[in-house]
Amino acid sequence: MLALSGCAGSGGTGQSAAPAGPRTLTVWLMNGSAPDKLTDALHKEFQESHKDVTVKYEVQQWNGIQDKLTTALAGNDAPDIIEIGNTQAPKFAKAGALVDLTAEASDFNKDQWLTSLKDSGSWDGKQYAVPFYAANRLVLYRKDMFEQAGITAPPTSRQEWLDAITKLRAKFGSDPEFQALYLPGQNWYTLLSFIYDEGGDIAKRDGTKFTASLDTPEAKAGLEFYKQLQEASGTKAPKDTDEQTPEQAGIYGKGKVAMMIALPWELATAAKGDPTLTDKSSAFPIPSKKSGTTAPVFQGGSNLAIPAKSQDQDLAKDYLKLMTSSKYQSQFAGAGMIPGTSTDVAGLEKDPVTAAMAKASRNGRAVPATPGWATIEAGQNPLKDMLTAFLTGAKSIDAATADANTALNKAFAG
């Protein structure tokens, strides 16, 4: 655990010089982010070492949070610590709504920060948000179906993945409801793995400026593989919706799907209807086209930041020191998340599904760190439109990627 300033005794956090008298530290974390056991212990320790300080802990809902944060950060009663999605940080940083934490970054375990979250919390060369936790996708699969189809080991390359699909369809294809891989048309998170694996990206960066690059040969190759995988799998998933419409965990839970590209906790959702799926399933990282390696993955997650209008920034920084310490970050791994400020992922290794996520996390990437990205996800996502247009044949790959570039560049320009 990191010692805080003025630590007096083992396990203490110490207290920075601050105004005397009772104070309240308001902390906003998102629903489902931190286990109650973790926050209860953290707040108890913080208050014990910061006499006359009370932590006012408020759990927020993701639905509508961007508007709520915008209002709160502009007012005179802003919270002191906020959790923000990794795609939201640049927008609030550019607006001057967050405290610049560049000088104090080393106090928050900087040498162990998760690269994708570090990048998403920076703007114009400065650090405005600290990594909190992350997660990335993997391939959930039915061990029993693999065994029956004669697949002796999880795929470690794209070709092995395609070969496994061929074997699965040969074994179970007589069932009209069977799907070797459930892959909806608009799962752009998965598309990014294929684009990254080809050496491409969503956009090219020049300082704080981003220019869409979905029309490069590398990005197009990633899009082509998405189509190849979807066609090879014989998936019955819609081409014009994402993995939530319908919820893919529910589809997997019906027992007719051998694989889905998902987040680890989607297995628990699938197993609600059939608890035996938990023992029947396992996971492997999304394979690369290069045998024996994993494809880069989009890493979603959250950062922690201090609003510029916080009245207790000294306390907020002490709170961040404690939250980002190894003591508490290791608990995120135990809860099935990738810790943002600790490279210790031993807690993820105990389960084969989270272990697969941990293995892939070493090559995690973030979307462009630009204020415009928040509007892309909140509105009509050009990546989804591009996928549907190309997969349905409504547009050629050149037209689909060109139109996506135009839409992205418009968003990047604000």
Side-chain angles (χ1 to χ4, degrees):
M1 177 183 137
L2 287 181
L4 303 186
S5 56
C7 179
S10 175
T13 58
Q15 183 172 1
S16 305
R23 290 195 288 169
T24 298
L25 184 78
T26 302
V27 178
W28 284 12
L29 298 185
M30 303 307 299
N31 182 46
S33 291
D36 291 340
K37 182 179 178 181
L38 183 156
T39 54
D40 288 347
L42 184 145
H43 295 153
K44 180 182 178 182
E45 180 173 349
F46 187 84
Q47 289 175 152
E48 286 177 347
S49 59
H50 290 73
K51 302 304 180 183
D52 295 325
V53 173
T54 300
V55 175
K56 183 182 179 183
Y57 177 46
E58 300 181 359
V59 177
Q60 306 295 322
Q61 302 301 315
W62 282 110
N63 187 30
I65 189 59
Q66 187 158 297
D67 290 340
K68 186 171 184 178
L69 280 172
T70 299
T71 300
L73 299 187
N76 294 319
D77 190 27
D80 302 293
I81 293 283
I82 57 172
E83 175 186 348
I84 49 179
N86 60 332
T87 61
Q88 298 171 327
K91 173 182 177 175
F92 292 119
K94 183 182 180 182
L98 306 178
V99 172
D100 179 0
L101 300 173
T102 309
E104 295 92 354
S106 60
D107 295 334
F108 311 131
N109 249 4
K110 181 184 178 182
D111 62 336
Q112 295 195 56
W113 284 6
L114 200 61
T115 301
S116 62
L117 292 186
K118 172 185 179 296
D119 293 343
S120 68
S122 64
W123 174 252
D124 199 15
K126 297 179 180 179
Q127 197 71 36
Y128 290 93
V130 175
F132 189 19
Y133 69 88
N136 47 258
R137 282 157 182 80
L138 37 71
V139 185
L140 285 170
Y141 74 97
R142 288 280 299 270
K143 293 184 292 184
D144 55 337
M145 287 184 174
F146 269 48
E147 183 178 350
Q148 292 174 55
I151 304 167
T152 58
T156 59
S157 70
R158 283 188 188 175
Q159 187 56 55
E160 289 182 5
W161 198 7
L162 292 169
D163 292 344
I165 287 172
T166 298
K167 291 180 180 179
L168 287 163
R169 294 189 71 180
K171 177 65 178 179
F172 302 104
S174 60
D175 184 342
E177 296 182 32
F178 176 74
Q179 298 179 69
L181 169 70
Y182 183 83
L183 183 60
Q186 294 186 345
N187 193 335
W188 64 276
Y189 304 111
T190 294
L191 171 66
L192 292 187
S193 280
F194 305 150
I195 290 177
Y196 295 151
D197 196 41
E198 294 286 351
D201 208 336
I202 300 170
K204 296 178 181 178
R205 180 173 188 167
D206 182 9
T208 60
K209 182 180 179 182
F210 286 86
T211 304
S213 57
L214 292 173
D215 61 346
T216 62
E218 295 82 6
K220 288 179 180 178
L223 190 55
E224 289 279 15
F225 181 71
Y226 193 105
K227 183 178 183 180
Q228 180 185 1
L229 187 64
Q230 194 179 62
E231 291 178 345
S233 70
T235 183
K236 297 171 176 56
K239 290 183 171 64
D240 59 351
T241 62
D242 61 21
E243 66 283 357
Q244 292 299 318
T245 313
E247 186 178 28
Q248 66 176 8
I251 304 298
Y252 185 82
K254 293 178 180 179
K256 299 289 187 175
V257 172
M259 291 182 281
M260 69 172 176
I261 301 167
L263 292 162
W265 50 84
E266 290 184 71
L267 176 57
T269 302
K272 287 180 180 178
D274 179 5
T276 67
L277 281 177
T278 301
D279 291 332
K280 290 177 180 176
S281 300
S282 191
F284 57 89
I286 296 174
S288 167
K289 66 176 184 177
K290 183 179 179 181
S291 181
T293 63
T294 64
V297 287
F298 164 73
Q299 226 157 31
S302 288
N303 291 313
L304 296 170
I306 301 173
K309 290 196 174 184
S310 163
Q311 299 300 307
D312 292 293
Q313 293 181 19
D314 59 315
L315 287 178
K317 290 176 182 178
D318 276 0
Y319 184 94
L320 280 185
K321 290 176 186 178
L322 190 58
M323 176 66 91
T324 58
S325 68
S326 297
K327 175 179 180 179
Y328 288 102
Q329 284 287 299
S330 64
Q331 294 185 38
F332 279 101
M337 297 290 196
I338 301 166
T341 61
S342 173
T343 55
D344 180 10
V345 294
L348 293 168
E349 301 294 343
K350 61 187 178 182
D351 179 85
V353 174
T354 55
M357 178 177 69
K359 183 176 181 179
S361 73
R362 303 182 188 116
N363 200 3
R365 306 263 189 100
V367 294
T370 169
W373 193 264
T375 63
I376 290 169
E377 288 202 48
Q380 189 72 18
N381 189 324
L383 294 170
K384 289 185 174 184
D385 293 341
M386 175 185 70
L387 276 163
T388 294
F390 176 58
L391 295 174
T392 60
K395 293 179 184 177
S396 67
I397 193 167
D398 291 341
T401 54
D403 288 348
N405 271 359
T406 298
L408 286 174
N409 286 330
K410 182 178 180 180
F412 294 157

